[in-house]
Amino acid sequence: QPLIRARDLVLNFGQTQALRGISLDVYPGEVLAVMGPSGSGKSTLLHTLAGVLVPDSGTVRIGTRVLGELDQATRDDLRLRECGFVFQSGQLLPDLGALDNVTIPLLLAGVRRREAIDRGRAELDRLGVGQYGARYPAELSGGQAQRVAIARALVTRPRVLFADEPTGALDSLSAETTMVALTDLARADGTAVVLVTHDARTAAYADREIIVRDGRISAGIGVPLVDENP
Ligand code: ADP
Ligand code: ADP
């Protein structure tokens, strides 16, 4: 059973046709790379799969729920509980230490402070940055900050991790360490990963790759994109 099932997604920004009919499935524990030139619709696709953008037509199902059938509050709640996000950089709250950044989603989910701190520490350890819990984001290297951001995204054990150019601001060594950590842990947890990147070395960590051009999937590498059974 796919975890994400998207069908015929169409989304326009005024005259700009950002998505022109995209269908794809993403399975639990699978890392899918979305590649393609700038402006081709990758970020729009990611935001649509995450329910941040609502398509003009087409459907996104996450698990058993069809996003378009939920009201906004339910959709936001689903996103908070079941999706993690990692961006290019600058996503950590600058006035909080690394550990406090990682405990935020747990506290928002109602986990008690003591347990949130224990789980946050364990997650930082799992990403190899356990020694930096007290540091502020500005005191971390780009790669360390990115691993803290991944810890924050995975600490709630989301079913899906959305990553938009997660290595875009990193040197190649940090990019490699970051991708190894991200993909190893996501696979261990059974988390599906949708990874937008224009870097082929980053995409090489994925199980499957699609190329988006002008709002359409122009090529797919790996197993079939869409399960033929309805
Ligand atoms: P990519 O991530 O591949 O660079 P995007 O999904 O960001 O591409 O953008 C796809 C197209 O939609 C581009 O032409 C972009 O300029 C346009 N676009 C994206 N977001 C908006 C927006 N909020 N308003 C208007 N146009 C947008
Ligand atoms: P990306 O790295 O995804 O290509 P962009 O720099 O194109 O990012 O876009 C950054 C933000 O600006 C995104 O949130 C996108 O939705 C928005 N955006 C992109 N193009 C436009 C546009 N033509 N008009 C308004 N917003 C846009």
Side-chain angles (χ1 to χ4, degrees), residues 33-37 40 42 195 197-200 203 209-213:
V34 179
M35 298 194 70
S40 59
K42 303 182 297 295
L195 167 70
T197 181
H198 57 247
D199 176 32
E209 188 175 314
I210 59 172
I211 298 169
V212 176
R213 278 185 213 283

Side-chain angles (χ1 to χ4, degrees), residues 13 16 18 37-44:
F13 293 108
T16 305
S38 181
S40 59
K42 303 182 297 295
S43 294
T44 304

Side-chain angles (χ1 to χ4, degrees), residues 20-86:
R20 306 185 190 214
I22 288 190
S23 298
L24 60 84
D25 291 335
V26 189
Y27 288 84
E30 175 182 59
V31 181
L32 173 73
V34 179
M35 298 194 70
S38 181
S40 59
K42 303 182 297 295
S43 294
T44 304
L45 174 62
L46 185 116
H47 290 135
T48 306
L49 296 177
V52 176
L53 286 172
V54 177
D56 296 312
S57 63
T59 57
V60 176
R61 212 172 76 184
I62 296 192
T64 56
R65 275 163 297 189
V66 179
L67 294 184
E69 292 171 359
L70 307 175
D71 58 36
Q72 186 170 345
T74 310
R75 220 166 38 229
D76 291 346
D77 185 57
L78 176 73
R79 190 179 319 117
L80 183 66
R81 283 182 298 107
E82 305 204 350
C83 302
F85 290 87
V86 180

Side-chain angles (χ1 to χ4, degrees), residues 45-159:
L45 174 62
L46 185 116
H47 290 135
T48 306
L49 296 177
V52 176
L53 286 172
V54 177
D56 296 312
S57 63
T59 57
V60 176
R61 212 172 76 184
I62 296 192
T64 56
R65 275 163 297 189
V66 179
L67 294 184
E69 292 171 359
L70 307 175
D71 58 36
Q72 186 170 345
T74 310
R75 220 166 38 229
D76 291 346
D77 185 57
L78 176 73
R79 190 179 319 117
L80 183 66
R81 283 182 298 107
E82 305 204 350
C83 302
F85 290 87
V86 180
F87 304 100
Q88 183 165 330
S89 63
Q91 55 206 302
L92 297 174
L93 295 176
D95 297 332
L96 293 181
L99 177 60
D100 287 334
N101 265 279
V102 174
T103 57
I104 293 168
L106 294 172
L107 297 173
L108 286 175
V111 174
R112 282 176 309 150
R113 186 162 178 80
R114 190 54 178 269
E115 187 191 334
I117 288 171
D118 289 345
R119 284 169 62 182
R121 283 218 174 89
E123 202 61 17
L124 285 173
D125 280 341
R126 211 162 73 113
L127 269 304
V129 285
Q131 65 273 47
Y132 305 127
R135 292 212 191 161
Y136 288 96
E139 300 168 328
L140 299 170
S141 73
Q144 290 161 357
Q146 211 49 346
R147 279 183 283 158
V148 171
I150 294 167
R152 185 175 68 182
L154 290 178
V155 73
T156 53
R157 295 291 177 269
R159 295 209 287 170

